[in-house]
Amino acid sequence: MTLMKRLHRRSGLSLLALSVFAASIPACGTSFLNPAFINTTTGGQFPVTPGPSAAFVLVRALNETGVQVEFFITIEREVLRPDDDGNFVLDDQGNLRTEPVRETARVLTGETGLATDIGVLFPCGTSPVTLVGLGENLLPTDRHIAVGGGGAAGATGVGVTVENLNPLSLAASNFNCGDTIIYRAFRSTGTPGGVLVSTFLLPGSEQPFDFNGPSTFIEYQDLLDSAGGEVAP
């Protein structure tokens, strides 16, 4: 597994320094929402991790290559298993049965500016996120990123498989609900596509509570709750 590096505790980040899109998990699929629609502030600060006050895992794609890079961010979560009649199934011990479900977000980052740092929010309060990684199947042989290309969805980019980039596991305490996971792509000679990817963790448990501006994550949590867990893109 790529060495996970814990960044030093940070009180916040300028709102304009991070472009984050929120992905809800409604029955109809994933939707993306720019936090500028939720709160607006000038010269203030906002939290860099969702936790401990908001039940999300934030996955950021950070592009330091100087060219367009598309990240294939995949999570696996445990969801309640219904029967053919829509009723939840119990196991022999009377516990609700769950089954793993995967979801992939294709995150296209730009060459310069704010477009180089884009994130996806995955709710983890009701259905725990158990795995986070790159590649649509979370396999070492997957295409983890696509480098270069000018297509609208990175279609012309060169697919790159990054060695030793295993998915992060909730069971192995690689991350927790409320954390921020950062995948950083950077130039490296002698590697496939000339790019490597490293992994960083910002623990939500170390997130302070006081900020000059509003918390994007808490306000989005409130928006989801008021909308019954579903927000239109």
Side-chain angles (χ1 to χ4, degrees):
M1 177 181 294
T2 300
L3 177 64
M4 177 173 288
K5 303 176 182 178
R6 173 170 291 197
L7 300 186
H8 293 296
R9 181 172 178 175
R10 299 166 62 185
S11 63
L13 194 67
S14 170
L15 180 63
L16 296 180
L18 176 62
S19 179
V20 180
F21 293 82
S24 63
I25 313 295
C28 63
T30 301
S31 63
F32 291 84
L33 184 68
N34 191 311
F37 299 145
I38 304 173
N39 64 254
T40 302
T41 183
T42 302
Q45 291 184 327
F46 79 108
V48 295
T49 67
S53 301
F56 300 102
V57 173
L58 172 61
V59 184
R60 282 171 53 186
L62 178 60
N63 177 8
E64 297 181 350
T65 67
V67 297
Q68 178 176 280
V69 174
E70 185 175 21
F71 293 74
F72 303 96
I73 298 173
T74 297
I75 62 107
E76 185 171 285
R77 66 170 69 250
E78 291 293 325
V79 300
L80 293 175
R81 178 182 174 185
D83 58 21
D84 294 338
D85 296 324
N87 300 313
F88 294 127
V89 179
L90 303 178
D91 60 20
D92 295 338
Q93 287 72 44
N95 299 315
L96 290 170
R97 285 188 178 180
T98 62
E99 59 184 4
V101 174
R102 288 180 183 169
E103 178 186 353
T104 298
R106 299 180 59 165
V107 179
L108 184 62
T109 58
E111 302 174 7
T112 60
L114 298 179
T116 62
D117 191 353
I118 297 177
V120 185
L121 271 179
F122 298 99
C124 53
T126 303
S127 300
V129 175
T130 55
L131 293 174
V132 177
L134 296 183
E136 293 186 355
N137 297 304
L138 295 176
L139 295 175
T141 55
D142 282 351
R143 179 179 59 161
H144 297 131
I145 58 175
V147 179
T156 59
V158 177
V160 174
T161 296
V162 182
E163 293 185 1
N164 302 319
L165 190 68
N166 297 323
L168 306 179
S169 169
L170 178 68
S173 299
N174 297 143
F175 71 93
N176 289 295
C177 186
D179 289 350
T180 292
I181 297 167
I182 302 174
Y183 286 103
R184 169 179 168 258
F186 58 96
R187 286 290 190 182
S188 178
T189 59
T191 59
V195 174
L196 279 180
V197 178
S198 59
T199 310
F200 299 85
L201 177 69
L202 295 174
S205 59
E206 298 181 7
Q207 178 68 65
F209 288 92
D210 297 328
F211 299 95
N212 295 336
S215 170
T216 301
F217 305 111
I218 294 176
E219 293 198 2
Y220 186 64
Q221 179 100 60
D222 293 342
L223 180 62
L224 279 180
D225 293 342
S226 65
E230 182 170 336
V231 178

